[in-house]
Amino acid sequence: MQISFANYFNVFSQWKYKIYWIAGDDDGVMDVDARLQAMIVQSGSKVKRLQIATQKDLSLLRESLCSNDLFGLDETLWLICSKAMIKSILEWMMNNRELLTKMVIFSPKLSTDQKKNQLFQNPDIALFHIWPLTTQQVGQWWRQACQSCKLNVPSDISKQALMQSGFRVDRLKSYLDRWKLLFPEGGTVDRIDTVANEPTQHHYQWAAAWLKGLNVNHFLNDAQIDKSFFALRYYVDELVSFDFYKNLKMPQSDINKKLRWWPQKSKDMMLIYEKHSSKSLHQLAFRIMTIDLCRIGQLPLNYHHTFKTLIHHQSIYDELIPCEVH
């Protein structure tokens, strides 16, 4: 089953397929990653992560699939597959279909022939290609999405939303979620309130210091919670993206280019990255996504209180997702 962008939000709102194969590394990786982790948490599943970079790793995969733990506990295998191993893992899965269990696979883009692999005809396996949309395509999607929600968005506000989101569909979706709460039957959007909340250098410095483990909690200003949250969300988004590309064995120079990190920026980000494990970063990203849902009113929790709880008790996300990293 191939997931199209048209049914993306529906498919990733609940666990509909036994195996999800996510191909690509463009905008959308973070949103897919967060949605999948949210579904895993909701299902009460345990996560086991594996790197598939060599033929030897395939033997580890078989061991994991045949382990007693897999049958004793609800476990989701989370695989990061290198480009060099895509063909091998497709062949392996074709030959071991009786062993396949609940699984998430992230890989670089598939070739045309790989997309046509018979494996993806199986209704239990869903293939989704990360959206490599142009700004024109994002604009078209945005207009259609607003219309489907019966929202009249003036051109100046629409342009503002597109520019502030960086033409990222996952971020534009957060605008729609909030506006649908304000206008459940549809209506005219007369303002967009994120401009006033754009972080300054002070807020980015605070977020970086907090992520380094420094005690800067007393600098969290109640009147500027949004700016502090957006600055922290930006850093976590960048760091998890870096971790994703790193796990795909992408060279540091290519990652810097993709993330638009100049030398000093790369140095600063690496100082923060080295303070965290892959597990803690992904758990923190899930926590940030949860707080963002509180911010736009999709979860019945106090946004300010939930954010300050995270900041003052950082260990709160240690228990969110049981996970083994290999």
Side-chain angles (χ1 to χ4, degrees), residues 41 50-51 83 110 138 219 222 281 318:
V41 170
L50 293 172
Q51 303 283 339
K83 186 174 183 179
L110 304 185
V138 173
F219 288 118
D222 283 356
L281 278 176
D318 290 342

Side-chain angles (χ1 to χ4, degrees), residues 13 36 47 56 76 93 125 147 158 172 175 182 189-190 239 253 269 275 282 297 305 309 312:
S13 63
L36 284 169
V47 178
K56 183 180 178 180
T76 300
M93 291 175 71
I125 302 176
Q147 290 172 4
S158 186
L172 285 167
Y175 291 140
L182 294 173
V189 178
D190 57 3
L239 292 167
S253 58
M269 295 300 284
K275 294 285 185 179
H282 284 271
H305 174 73
T309 298
H312 292 286

Side-chain angles (χ1 to χ4, degrees), residues 61-293:
L61 175 57
R62 185 179 181 88
E63 289 175 13
S64 296
L65 290 168
C66 294
S67 69
N68 292 327
D69 287 346
L70 200 60
F71 298 98
L73 295 171
D74 182 15
E75 186 173 54
T76 300
L77 288 179
W78 190 283
L79 311 183
I80 300 293
C81 178
S82 68
K83 186 174 183 179
M85 289 300 296
I86 291 176
K87 181 179 178 181
S88 295
I89 198 171
L90 282 170
E91 292 175 350
W92 189 92
M93 291 175 71
M94 286 289 292
N95 295 328
N96 294 273
R97 280 188 257 191
E98 74 282 358
L99 294 177
L100 299 181
T101 184
K102 194 174 179 183
M103 191 181 299
V104 174
I105 305 170
F106 276 97
S107 77
K109 294 177 183 177
L110 304 185
S111 68
T112 301
D113 288 341
Q114 288 168 345
K115 292 177 187 176
K116 296 177 182 178
N117 190 289
Q118 184 183 350
L119 187 74
F120 298 119
Q121 302 303 313
N122 187 322
D124 289 335
I125 302 176
L127 171 64
F128 179 71
H129 303 279
I130 301 295
W131 55 77
L133 302 180
T134 64
T135 55
Q136 183 178 2
Q137 289 172 316
V138 173
Q140 182 179 7
W141 172 85
W142 172 243
R143 289 190 293 274
Q144 292 173 347
C146 290
Q147 290 172 4
S148 68
C149 297
K150 299 180 181 179
L151 293 169
N152 175 29
V153 185
S155 59
D156 59 330
I157 293 178
S158 186
K159 182 178 179 180
Q160 208 169 357
L162 288 165
M163 295 298 290
Q164 289 178 185
S165 68
F167 285 84
R168 293 238 339 227
V169 171
D170 48 337
R171 291 177 179 171
L172 285 167
K173 181 68 165 49
S174 69
Y175 291 140
L176 288 180
D177 289 338
R178 183 163 189 171
W179 292 343
K180 283 191 292 185
L181 289 171
L182 294 173
F183 308 101
E185 304 299 325
T188 298
V189 178
D190 57 3
R191 65 188 178 88
I192 182 170
D193 60 2
T194 54
V195 172
N197 295 324
E198 283 296 309
T200 65
Q201 187 64 27
H202 164 77
H203 300 99
Y204 286 118
Q205 288 173 344
W206 170 85
W210 184 81
L211 285 166
K212 290 176 182 176
L214 300 178
N215 184 11
V216 291
N217 296 350
H218 53 289
F219 288 118
L220 186 63
N221 189 323
D222 283 356
Q224 299 185 47
I225 286 286
D226 283 347
K227 293 183 179 181
S228 299
F229 172 71
F230 291 147
L232 183 60
R233 187 179 68 177
Y234 161 79
Y235 269 112
V236 173
D237 185 65
E238 293 274 282
L239 292 167
V240 176
S241 293
F242 174 83
D243 185 66
F244 177 79
Y245 297 137
K246 182 174 179 287
N247 287 333
L248 290 177
K249 309 300 181 185
M250 188 180 290
Q252 178 80 42
S253 58
D254 291 346
I255 299 177
N256 290 345
K257 187 181 300 182
K258 185 170 283 291
L259 295 177
R260 299 180 179 87
W261 287 359
W262 57 94
Q264 185 58 48
K265 175 69 174 294
S266 177
K267 181 179 179 181
D268 293 341
M269 295 300 284
M270 290 309 298
L271 287 174
I272 301 173
Y273 177 78
E274 290 168 0
K275 294 285 185 179
H276 299 266
S277 67
S278 180
K279 172 187 173 181
S280 71
L281 278 176
H282 284 271
Q283 291 176 336
L284 181 55
F286 174 73
R287 184 62 174 166
I288 292 294
M289 183 190 74
T290 302
I291 294 172
D292 209 17
L293 292 176

